[in-house]
Amino acid sequence: MCLRRVSVNLLFHQSSVRRSIMGAENSSQQAAQGGNVLIVDSDSMTGELVQFRLESEGFRSEIITDGRTALDRDLTEFNVILVDLMNQEFNGLMFTQAVKRNPDTFNIPVIICSVKSSEDDIVDGLDAGADDYISKPFSSRELIARVRSMIRRRRMMSVRRVSNIVRFNDLVLDLGAGTAFIDGEQISLTRTEYVILAMFMRNRNSFFERVEIRREAWEDDGEVSDRAVDTNISRLRKKLGEYGRHIINRQGFGYGFVE
């Protein structure tokens, strides 16, 4: 407890000195050039100290002390999320899992910051979807370096992934990851079902004959019957729920996804 207090006081002292040196105008200009960081930590004092350090390095930041409240925020505004494991009913692991299940937020880097530092704790955090794990007390320089690294990595990945996301309302396909979501919940599709859906959604309002679907969805379509195509599309419609009605069979044209 004493070591933690000393570490927190030292961090506060460093942040306060740095902030007093920087002018308000200069700080605002740097913030526009940095990134936007969300701090989710039930310990508001620790959160404020981290916030001071981030802002002194040119970041904008916001503190939320409850995971459920944080999920109600528009998380797409943030470049990185720092989350404590939090000893709450809805803890940091649950928050991380919720962020990573949502197709709108799953690519936002999440760094878990926690006093828990055992191997099991770190493994649990990474298994929950965290992109990094840093144990408290930590060096503020190390934290800033990791935040910057995550922002650089996300920008590089965003450039690569932008053409891989196909969306129709709340039905989202990530063609790079081979995943599909409805209302933020991942759909369990077979490879064949997924390939057919991707084919349809990449070419909405177009129609494909069964032979074209066989060539796209089966590696060896020589032994695949028209009935197998119909059966897979029928299963796919059921798994898509209300979106299944957008897959239609137009006589003389074939199957397609119609908006």
Side-chain angles (χ1 to χ4, degrees):
M1 183 67 180
C2 292
L3 289 176
R4 179 177 181 276
R5 187 180 299 277
V6 169
S7 176
V8 167
N9 288 339
L10 180 59
L11 178 59
F12 177 80
H13 174 71
Q14 292 173 338
S15 302
S16 299
V17 171
R18 183 65 178 269
R19 286 171 63 86
S20 66
I21 293 174
M22 297 172 61
E25 180 179 354
N26 184 47
S27 177
S28 176
Q29 291 174 347
Q30 284 190 343
Q33 297 174 0
N36 205 7
V37 181
L38 176 63
I39 304 164
V40 184
D41 195 330
S42 56
D43 186 341
S44 58
M45 183 181 71
T46 301
E48 288 173 2
L49 299 177
V50 172
Q51 182 180 47
F52 291 158
R53 187 68 179 99
L54 287 168
E55 292 185 353
S56 73
E57 293 292 334
F59 295 92
R60 287 191 181 95
S61 61
E62 180 177 332
I63 303 170
I64 299 179
T65 58
D66 175 78
R68 293 191 187 278
T69 303
L71 287 179
D72 292 332
R73 185 75 167 78
D74 182 4
L75 299 181
T76 60
E77 296 180 7
F78 299 97
N79 302 102
V80 176
I81 299 174
L82 305 178
V83 58
D84 186 78
L85 289 181
M86 298 183 293
N87 188 21
Q88 297 179 343
E89 181 181 357
F90 189 79
N91 59 35
L93 289 180
M94 296 176 181
F95 171 81
T96 300
Q97 290 168 341
V99 170
K100 293 302 182 177
R101 282 198 302 263
N102 187 335
D104 292 326
T105 60
F106 77 97
N107 64 334
I108 300 175
V110 175
I111 302 177
I112 291 180
C113 307
S114 175
V115 294
K116 297 181 179 180
S117 58
S118 72
E119 181 179 350
D120 287 343
D121 292 321
I122 295 173
V123 169
D124 288 344
L126 296 177
D127 282 346
D131 299 272
D132 202 354
Y133 194 110
I134 182 169
S135 301
K136 295 180 181 178
F138 46 76
S139 160
S140 58
R141 290 182 60 193
E142 179 185 3
L143 177 65
I144 296 298
R146 294 200 189 196
V147 169
R148 285 177 174 153
S149 175
M150 285 295 171
I151 290 177
R152 286 195 301 269
R153 187 183 307 174
R154 186 192 180 194
R155 285 172 180 165
M156 292 174 61
M157 292 181 65
S158 295
V159 171
R160 297 171 186 167
R161 296 175 64 91
V162 66
S163 62
N164 289 332
I165 302 298
V166 180
R167 178 191 298 272
F168 177 73
N169 296 336
D170 291 322
L171 172 59
V172 180
L173 265 67
D174 184 336
L175 302 179
T179 52
F181 299 84
I182 294 180
D183 296 328
E185 295 293 328
Q186 186 168 348
I187 317 166
S188 177
L189 300 177
T190 66
R191 177 195 172 280
T192 301
E193 292 164 352
Y194 181 84
V195 173
I196 293 173
L197 179 60
M199 179 184 188
F200 289 167
M201 287 192 64
R202 286 199 310 264
N203 304 277
R204 294 200 288 274
N205 302 314
S206 298
F207 292 88
F208 299 93
E209 297 179 355
R210 290 180 178 86
V211 63
E212 295 176 291
I213 298 171
R214 291 202 309 264
R215 290 170 181 167
E216 178 78 10
W218 279 269
E219 294 181 1
D220 182 6
D221 66 313
E223 300 298 324
V224 178
S225 66
D226 287 348
R227 182 174 178 80
V229 175
D230 295 337
T231 300
N232 276 271
I233 292 178
S234 177
R235 287 201 304 258
L236 176 60
R237 280 174 171 154
K238 292 179 182 178
K239 291 183 179 181
L240 293 180
E242 65 178 46
Y243 288 101
R245 63 185 175 85
H246 291 277
I247 298 179
I248 67 172
N249 183 8
R250 181 170 293 176
Q251 188 173 4
F253 292 89
Y255 286 101
F257 191 102
V258 178
E259 296 179 334

